[in-house]
Amino acid sequence: MGHWLYRNIVEPGKLPLLLALGAFVVTFLVTRVITRLIRAGKGPFGNVRAGGLHIHHVVPGVVLIVVGGFGAVATSNRHGVGTSVFAVVFGVGAGLVLDEFALILHLDDVYWTEAGRKSVEVVVLTAALVGLVLAGFSPFGVNDVTPGELQDRGSVIAGVAVNFLFSLVALSKGKLRLAVFGAIVPFLALVAAVRLARPGSYWARRFYRHRPRARARADLRASRHDRRWAAPRRALQDWIGGKPDTRPRALAQAAPGAGSGTVTDSGTVTDSGRGAGTGTGSGSRTDSDRGTGTGTDPGTGTDPCTGTAGGRGTDPGTGTASGPVSGPGPEADPGRRTSE
């Protein structure tokens, strides 16, 4: 084992990559365990808060990625201790950041929702890709080029281009995983490129628009594939990252009767009372009292009895009414109106 590790990892200078991958996987697993304990209310752990603000672990993850990335770039020796240390720092930061990839994507706290499954998918995909590179696969499938192949650079470039083209076709057909892995493993994307596209993909919208039979076959194949693999994939995601919360997030609503908004009545006050004068107050009334209801005035703009209007009305019967206008009812003085 030691000879294999030295021959395949240490000697080619892949030890920092191995350390970064190990730190990445361990950080993700430990973070998921801690967050599941916090969710269940067990253990000594809790959310980190500063002044009432919830600090997500993506924040220290970004800091560690910056420190580890720039540190690794600054140390050019891949066999040095410094490079290995910065590789571990970078792996820890990447684990913290990608564990909350869904939060970055949606700009919302969707960690325990259905959308939060994207974080688990991205972490698994990243670990698999780094593992393939560590095992010896180079991007686009060009690896261990012999001296004879080096003499024919045209064939090498053509192989890279064809493999990359297959990856693009697989991506346009809605098969992201095979497209990404196809860029690493030679001709893996060819499998996805020759098969039917998934419904809703760019390829299906562009080339199946006038081919109803191909569209129907694609729908049937996609539904069969989803029925076969959806349950195992969800079970694996739940086992790794925890089950998402199926309950809808509670909306922040004020309790009935607890509203404290300012109620403004901008309707025109109309005095329908009887008396010697039947004047109508033409001034606009603004009620600046603070209500304790739900902040909604159900009135129609006419306030017959629930306040005192500060506007001055004109009484066509007796002249000018200078007193406050009130609700309906008999009037004591045909000249001056008194509120009930």
Side-chain angles (χ1 to χ4, degrees), residues 45-70:
F45 307 103
N47 293 324
V48 179
R49 296 186 178 275
L53 178 65
H54 179 198
I55 306 298
H56 292 269
H57 50 269
V58 68
V59 177
V62 170
V63 176
L64 293 177
I65 281 182
V66 171
V67 173
F70 280 105

PDB file of all heavy atoms in Angstrom, residues 45-70:
ATOM      1  N   PHE A  45     -24.595  21.618  20.246  1.00  0.00           N
ATOM      2  CA  PHE A  45     -24.406  22.531  19.128  1.00  0.00           C
ATOM      3  C   PHE A  45     -25.607  23.454  18.972  1.00  0.00           C
ATOM      4  O   PHE A  45     -26.712  23.167  19.451  1.00  0.00           O
ATOM      5  CB  PHE A  45     -24.179  21.744  17.833  1.00  0.00           C
ATOM      6  CG  PHE A  45     -23.082  20.733  17.925  1.00  0.00           C
ATOM      7  CD1 PHE A  45     -23.362  19.379  18.061  1.00  0.00           C
ATOM      8  CD2 PHE A  45     -21.754  21.133  17.884  1.00  0.00           C
ATOM      9  CE1 PHE A  45     -22.344  18.444  18.146  1.00  0.00           C
ATOM     10  CE2 PHE A  45     -20.731  20.207  17.966  1.00  0.00           C
ATOM     11  CZ  PHE A  45     -21.036  18.858  18.109  1.00  0.00           C
ATOM     12  N   GLY A  46     -25.376  24.551  18.293  1.00  0.00           N
ATOM     13  CA  GLY A  46     -26.436  25.514  18.015  1.00  0.00           C
ATOM     14  C   GLY A  46     -26.027  26.431  16.884  1.00  0.00           C
ATOM     15  O   GLY A  46     -24.869  26.459  16.451  1.00  0.00           O
ATOM     16  N   ASN A  47     -27.002  27.177  16.375  1.00  0.00           N
ATOM     17  CA  ASN A  47     -26.719  28.121  15.294  1.00  0.00           C
ATOM     18  C   ASN A  47     -25.849  29.266  15.790  1.00  0.00           C
ATOM     19  O   ASN A  47     -25.995  29.733  16.920  1.00  0.00           O
ATOM     20  CB  ASN A  47     -28.024  28.677  14.719  1.00  0.00           C
ATOM     21  CG  ASN A  47     -28.841  27.612  14.012  1.00  0.00           C
ATOM     22  OD1 ASN A  47     -28.284  26.727  13.367  1.00  0.00           O
ATOM     23  ND2 ASN A  47     -30.160  27.695  14.111  1.00  0.00           N
ATOM     24  N   VAL A  48     -24.953  29.715  14.949  1.00  0.00           N
ATOM     25  CA  VAL A  48     -24.068  30.825  15.287  1.00  0.00           C
ATOM     26  C   VAL A  48     -24.770  32.135  14.947  1.00  0.00           C
ATOM     27  O   VAL A  48     -25.213  32.330  13.818  1.00  0.00           O
ATOM     28  CB  VAL A  48     -22.729  30.723  14.517  1.00  0.00           C
ATOM     29  CG1 VAL A  48     -21.828  31.900  14.846  1.00  0.00           C
ATOM     30  CG2 VAL A  48     -22.046  29.399  14.835  1.00  0.00           C
ATOM     31  N   ARG A  49     -24.884  33.003  15.932  1.00  0.00           N
ATOM     32  CA  ARG A  49     -25.564  34.285  15.735  1.00  0.00           C
ATOM     33  C   ARG A  49     -24.672  35.409  16.227  1.00  0.00           C
ATOM     34  O   ARG A  49     -23.931  35.253  17.198  1.00  0.00           O
ATOM     35  CB  ARG A  49     -26.907  34.325  16.468  1.00  0.00           C
ATOM     36  CG  ARG A  49     -27.913  33.307  15.947  1.00  0.00           C
ATOM     37  CD  ARG A  49     -29.275  33.466  16.600  1.00  0.00           C
ATOM     38  NE  ARG A  49     -30.243  32.528  16.059  1.00  0.00           N
ATOM     39  CZ  ARG A  49     -30.949  32.736  14.953  1.00  0.00           C
ATOM     40  NH1 ARG A  49     -30.793  33.881  14.284  1.00  0.00           N
ATOM     41  NH2 ARG A  49     -31.805  31.844  14.509  1.00  0.00           N
ATOM     42  N   ALA A  50     -24.784  36.537  15.551  1.00  0.00           N
ATOM     43  CA  ALA A  50     -24.042  37.732  15.940  1.00  0.00           C
ATOM     44  C   ALA A  50     -24.995  38.917  15.869  1.00  0.00           C
ATOM     45  O   ALA A  50     -25.384  39.327  14.762  1.00  0.00           O
ATOM     46  CB  ALA A  50     -22.830  37.961  15.041  1.00  0.00           C
ATOM     47  N   GLY A  51     -25.388  39.418  17.017  1.00  0.00           N
ATOM     48  CA  GLY A  51     -26.324  40.534  17.047  1.00  0.00           C
ATOM     49  C   GLY A  51     -27.679  40.207  16.468  1.00  0.00           C
ATOM     50  O   GLY A  51     -28.286  41.038  15.798  1.00  0.00           O
ATOM     51  N   GLY A  52     -28.153  38.965  16.657  1.00  0.00           N
ATOM     52  CA  GLY A  52     -29.430  38.553  16.093  1.00  0.00           C
ATOM     53  C   GLY A  52     -29.361  38.074  14.660  1.00  0.00           C
ATOM     54  O   GLY A  52     -30.377  37.650  14.106  1.00  0.00           O
ATOM     55  N   LEU A  53     -28.192  38.137  14.036  1.00  0.00           N
ATOM     56  CA  LEU A  53     -28.023  37.703  12.650  1.00  0.00           C
ATOM     57  C   LEU A  53     -27.484  36.281  12.618  1.00  0.00           C
ATOM     58  O   LEU A  53     -26.464  35.981  13.247  1.00  0.00           O
ATOM     59  CB  LEU A  53     -27.069  38.643  11.912  1.00  0.00           C
ATOM     60  CG  LEU A  53     -26.752  38.297  10.451  1.00  0.00           C
ATOM     61  CD1 LEU A  53     -28.004  38.403   9.591  1.00  0.00           C
ATOM     62  CD2 LEU A  53     -25.656  39.209   9.914  1.00  0.00           C
ATOM     63  N   HIS A  54     -28.157  35.398  11.879  1.00  0.00           N
ATOM     64  CA  HIS A  54     -27.719  34.010  11.728  1.00  0.00           C
ATOM     65  C   HIS A  54     -26.558  33.942  10.744  1.00  0.00           C
ATOM     66  O   HIS A  54     -26.700  34.281   9.575  1.00  0.00           O
ATOM     67  CB  HIS A  54     -28.880  33.142  11.250  1.00  0.00           C
ATOM     68  CG  HIS A  54     -28.507  31.700  11.052  1.00  0.00           C
ATOM     69  ND1 HIS A  54     -29.264  30.832  10.301  1.00  0.00           N
ATOM     70  CD2 HIS A  54     -27.442  30.977  11.509  1.00  0.00           C
ATOM     71  CE1 HIS A  54     -28.683  29.636  10.289  1.00  0.00           C
ATOM     72  NE2 HIS A  54     -27.583  29.706  11.006  1.00  0.00           N
ATOM     73  N   ILE A  55     -25.395  33.510  11.231  1.00  0.00           N
ATOM     74  CA  ILE A  55     -24.209  33.392  10.382  1.00  0.00           C
ATOM     75  C   ILE A  55     -24.169  31.980   9.805  1.00  0.00           C
ATOM     76  O   ILE A  55     -23.951  31.006  10.529  1.00  0.00           O
ATOM     77  CB  ILE A  55     -22.917  33.685  11.170  1.00  0.00           C
ATOM     78  CG1 ILE A  55     -23.014  35.046  11.868  1.00  0.00           C
ATOM     79  CG2 ILE A  55     -21.712  33.638  10.256  1.00  0.00           C
ATOM     80  CD1 ILE A  55     -23.171  36.209  10.930  1.00  0.00           C
ATOM     81  N   HIS A  56     -24.402  31.848   8.516  1.00  0.00           N
ATOM     82  CA  HIS A  56     -24.351  30.544   7.860  1.00  0.00           C
ATOM     83  C   HIS A  56     -22.894  30.105   7.708  1.00  0.00           C
ATOM     84  O   HIS A  56     -21.985  30.935   7.611  1.00  0.00           O
ATOM     85  CB  HIS A  56     -25.026  30.606   6.494  1.00  0.00           C
ATOM     86  CG  HIS A  56     -26.501  30.826   6.562  1.00  0.00           C
ATOM     87  ND1 HIS A  56     -27.420  29.801   6.616  1.00  0.00           N
ATOM     88  CD2 HIS A  56     -27.225  31.974   6.588  1.00  0.00           C
ATOM     89  CE1 HIS A  56     -28.638  30.295   6.661  1.00  0.00           C
ATOM     90  NE2 HIS A  56     -28.549  31.611   6.645  1.00  0.00           N
ATOM     91  N   HIS A  57     -22.696  28.776   7.685  1.00  0.00           N
ATOM     92  CA  HIS A  57     -21.316  28.291   7.616  1.00  0.00           C
ATOM     93  C   HIS A  57     -20.695  28.486   6.242  1.00  0.00           C
ATOM     94  O   HIS A  57     -19.518  28.196   6.043  1.00  0.00           O
ATOM     95  CB  HIS A  57     -21.243  26.804   8.033  1.00  0.00           C
ATOM     96  CG  HIS A  57     -22.231  25.915   7.331  1.00  0.00           C
ATOM     97  ND1 HIS A  57     -23.481  25.654   7.832  1.00  0.00           N
ATOM     98  CD2 HIS A  57     -22.138  25.210   6.189  1.00  0.00           C
ATOM     99  CE1 HIS A  57     -24.126  24.819   7.030  1.00  0.00           C
ATOM    100  NE2 HIS A  57     -23.328  24.540   6.018  1.00  0.00           N
ATOM    101  N   VAL A  58     -21.472  28.978   5.274  1.00  0.00           N
ATOM    102  CA  VAL A  58     -20.871  29.342   3.995  1.00  0.00           C
ATOM    103  C   VAL A  58     -19.939  30.545   4.145  1.00  0.00           C
ATOM    104  O   VAL A  58     -19.001  30.706   3.355  1.00  0.00           O
ATOM    105  CB  VAL A  58     -21.985  29.621   2.954  1.00  0.00           C
ATOM    106  CG1 VAL A  58     -22.762  30.875   3.317  1.00  0.00           C
ATOM    107  CG2 VAL A  58     -21.401  29.747   1.547  1.00  0.00           C
ATOM    108  N   VAL A  59     -20.170  31.371   5.158  1.00  0.00           N
ATOM    109  CA  VAL A  59     -19.343  32.573   5.344  1.00  0.00           C
ATOM    110  C   VAL A  59     -17.910  32.200   5.721  1.00  0.00           C
ATOM    111  O   VAL A  59     -16.962  32.623   5.041  1.00  0.00           O
ATOM    112  CB  VAL A  59     -19.991  33.503   6.389  1.00  0.00           C
ATOM    113  CG1 VAL A  59     -19.095  34.713   6.647  1.00  0.00           C
ATOM    114  CG2 VAL A  59     -21.368  33.948   5.931  1.00  0.00           C
ATOM    115  N   PRO A  60     -17.678  31.407   6.791  1.00  0.00           N
ATOM    116  CA  PRO A  60     -16.289  30.993   7.039  1.00  0.00           C
ATOM    117  C   PRO A  60     -15.737  30.117   5.926  1.00  0.00           C
ATOM    118  O   PRO A  60     -14.519  30.084   5.701  1.00  0.00           O
ATOM    119  CB  PRO A  60     -16.363  30.236   8.369  1.00  0.00           C
ATOM    120  CG  PRO A  60     -17.774  29.812   8.501  1.00  0.00           C
ATOM    121  CD  PRO A  60     -18.577  30.896   7.853  1.00  0.00           C
ATOM    122  N   GLY A  61     -16.609  29.417   5.203  1.00  0.00           N
ATOM    123  CA  GLY A  61     -16.138  28.611   4.083  1.00  0.00           C
ATOM    124  C   GLY A  61     -15.525  29.456   2.982  1.00  0.00           C
ATOM    125  O   GLY A  61     -14.489  29.102   2.410  1.00  0.00           O
ATOM    126  N   VAL A  62     -16.145  30.590   2.687  1.00  0.00           N
ATOM    127  CA  VAL A  62     -15.595  31.486   1.662  1.00  0.00           C
ATOM    128  C   VAL A  62     -14.236  32.026   2.104  1.00  0.00           C
ATOM    129  O   VAL A  62     -13.294  32.120   1.303  1.00  0.00           O
ATOM    130  CB  VAL A  62     -16.588  32.635   1.396  1.00  0.00           C
ATOM    131  CG1 VAL A  62     -15.948  33.705   0.518  1.00  0.00           C
ATOM    132  CG2 VAL A  62     -17.851  32.107   0.743  1.00  0.00           C
ATOM    133  N   VAL A  63     -14.123  32.375   3.380  1.00  0.00           N
ATOM    134  CA  VAL A  63     -12.844  32.883   3.892  1.00  0.00           C
ATOM    135  C   VAL A  63     -11.751  31.823   3.755  1.00  0.00           C
ATOM    136  O   VAL A  63     -10.626  32.106   3.319  1.00  0.00           O
ATOM    137  CB  VAL A  63     -12.995  33.323   5.357  1.00  0.00           C
ATOM    138  CG1 VAL A  63     -11.656  33.749   5.932  1.00  0.00           C
ATOM    139  CG2 VAL A  63     -14.001  34.464   5.476  1.00  0.00           C
ATOM    140  N   LEU A  64     -12.069  30.578   4.109  1.00  0.00           N
ATOM    141  CA  LEU A  64     -11.071  29.508   4.011  1.00  0.00           C
ATOM    142  C   LEU A  64     -10.697  29.210   2.566  1.00  0.00           C
ATOM    143  O   LEU A  64      -9.538  28.900   2.269  1.00  0.00           O
ATOM    144  CB  LEU A  64     -11.609  28.247   4.693  1.00  0.00           C
ATOM    145  CG  LEU A  64     -11.791  28.323   6.208  1.00  0.00           C
ATOM    146  CD1 LEU A  64     -12.406  27.036   6.743  1.00  0.00           C
ATOM    147  CD2 LEU A  64     -10.459  28.591   6.888  1.00  0.00           C
ATOM    148  N   ILE A  65     -11.659  29.300   1.662  1.00  0.00           N
ATOM    149  CA  ILE A  65     -11.345  29.079   0.255  1.00  0.00           C
ATOM    150  C   ILE A  65     -10.382  30.147  -0.258  1.00  0.00           C
ATOM    151  O   ILE A  65      -9.422  29.857  -0.992  1.00  0.00           O
ATOM    152  CB  ILE A  65     -12.642  29.067  -0.586  1.00  0.00           C
ATOM    153  CG1 ILE A  65     -13.342  27.720  -0.448  1.00  0.00           C
ATOM    154  CG2 ILE A  65     -12.340  29.330  -2.056  1.00  0.00           C
ATOM    155  CD1 ILE A  65     -14.596  27.596  -1.275  1.00  0.00           C
ATOM    156  N   VAL A  66     -10.621  31.389   0.129  1.00  0.00           N
ATOM    157  CA  VAL A  66      -9.735  32.474  -0.313  1.00  0.00           C
ATOM    158  C   VAL A  66      -8.328  32.268   0.242  1.00  0.00           C
ATOM    159  O   VAL A  66      -7.321  32.384  -0.484  1.00  0.00           O
ATOM    160  CB  VAL A  66     -10.309  33.833   0.125  1.00  0.00           C
ATOM    161  CG1 VAL A  66      -9.311  34.942  -0.132  1.00  0.00           C
ATOM    162  CG2 VAL A  66     -11.621  34.115  -0.603  1.00  0.00           C
ATOM    163  N   VAL A  67      -8.236  31.941   1.539  1.00  0.00           N
ATOM    164  CA  VAL A  67      -6.920  31.750   2.156  1.00  0.00           C
ATOM    165  C   VAL A  67      -6.206  30.547   1.536  1.00  0.00           C
ATOM    166  O   VAL A  67      -5.024  30.618   1.153  1.00  0.00           O
ATOM    167  CB  VAL A  67      -7.062  31.574   3.676  1.00  0.00           C
ATOM    168  CG1 VAL A  67      -5.721  31.215   4.302  1.00  0.00           C
ATOM    169  CG2 VAL A  67      -7.607  32.855   4.308  1.00  0.00           C
ATOM    170  N   GLY A  68      -6.924  29.424   1.435  1.00  0.00           N
ATOM    171  CA  GLY A  68      -6.303  28.221   0.882  1.00  0.00           C
ATOM    172  C   GLY A  68      -5.945  28.357  -0.578  1.00  0.00           C
ATOM    173  O   GLY A  68      -4.874  27.904  -1.013  1.00  0.00           O
ATOM    174  N   GLY A  69      -6.808  28.990  -1.373  1.00  0.00           N
ATOM    175  CA  GLY A  69      -6.533  29.138  -2.796  1.00  0.00           C
ATOM    176  C   GLY A  69      -5.336  30.024  -3.076  1.00  0.00           C
ATOM    177  O   GLY A  69      -4.425  29.641  -3.820  1.00  0.00           O
ATOM    178  N   PHE A  70      -5.315  31.205  -2.455  1.00  0.00           N
ATOM    179  CA  PHE A  70      -4.187  32.103  -2.687  1.00  0.00           C
ATOM    180  C   PHE A  70      -2.896  31.539  -2.086  1.00  0.00           C
ATOM    181  O   PHE A  70      -1.811  31.736  -2.629  1.00  0.00           O
ATOM    182  CB  PHE A  70      -4.481  33.480  -2.095  1.00  0.00           C
ATOM    183  CG  PHE A  70      -5.350  34.324  -2.976  1.00  0.00           C
ATOM    184  CD1 PHE A  70      -6.685  34.525  -2.679  1.00  0.00           C
ATOM    185  CD2 PHE A  70      -4.832  34.914  -4.119  1.00  0.00           C
ATOM    186  CE1 PHE A  70      -7.484  35.304  -3.487  1.00  0.00           C
ATOM    187  CE2 PHE A  70      -5.625  35.695  -4.943  1.00  0.00           C
ATOM    188  CZ  PHE A  70      -6.967  35.887  -4.629  1.00  0.00           C
TER     189      PHE A  70
END
